Amino acid sequence: QVHMVESGGGLVQPGGSLRLSCAASGSIFSIDAMGWYRQGPGKGREFVASITRGGDTTYVDSVKGRFTISRDNTKNTVSLQMNSLKPEDTAVYFCYADARTIPSTPSRSWGQGTQVTVSS
């Protein structure tokens, strides 16, 4: 079983920055993609960003140029640097990892979510 622990959420003013981090632990053989989703008030869960094991990244259009995703394969961690934050970025952010506990098809594990609030 893979356990995901997130940290780094909080309250920030518009234009400010936050860095989210997420660590995967457990009986991990390897991790394919890692990434982040978010769920704003009254909204469905939305894809934010992902990164492959090799470092290829994908972003939703609304965060391109403002958010940067990175990972450390030696520590099984993924981070999301969020700059120029806007009120519409307010959401609960969830990390995920497509992890293999044995050399077979990976399964997705989720973090518990961390609140990001952008408000003056």
Side-chain angles (χ1 to χ4, degrees):
Q1 186 174 357
V2 177
H3 188 51
M4 308 288 290
V5 177
E6 303 174 9
S7 60
L11 173 64
V12 64
Q13 292 186 343
S17 298
L18 279 176
R19 184 177 181 84
L20 306 182
S21 296
C22 182
S25 62
S27 301
I28 297 172
F29 178 78
S30 67
I31 299 178
D32 295 350
M34 303 183 81
W36 296 86
Y37 276 69
R38 66 186 179 186
Q39 187 164 12
K43 299 181 180 179
R45 191 171 290 195
E46 172 192 38
F47 169 81
V48 177
S50 67
I51 184 168
T52 67
R53 185 172 182 82
D56 294 329
T57 58
T58 303
Y59 298 93
V60 67
D61 285 347
S62 61
V63 308
K64 286 181 180 177
R66 300 189 298 122
F67 291 10
T68 302
I69 189 171
S70 60
R71 66 187 281 176
D72 185 332
N73 291 332
T74 65
K75 298 180 179 178
N76 291 332
T77 59
V78 61
S79 297
L80 186 68
Q81 177 65 43
M82 304 184 294
N83 299 328
S84 302
L85 282 160
K86 304 176 181 180
E88 52 263 43
D89 295 317
T90 295
V92 178
Y93 285 70
F94 299 88
C95 68
Y96 73 87
D98 294 334
R100 304 168 191 263
T101 54
I102 57 175
S104 64
T105 304
S107 63
R108 181 159 293 183
S109 297
W110 292 93
Q112 78 283 2
T114 186
Q115 178 70 47
V116 171
T117 302
V118 185
S119 175
S120 55

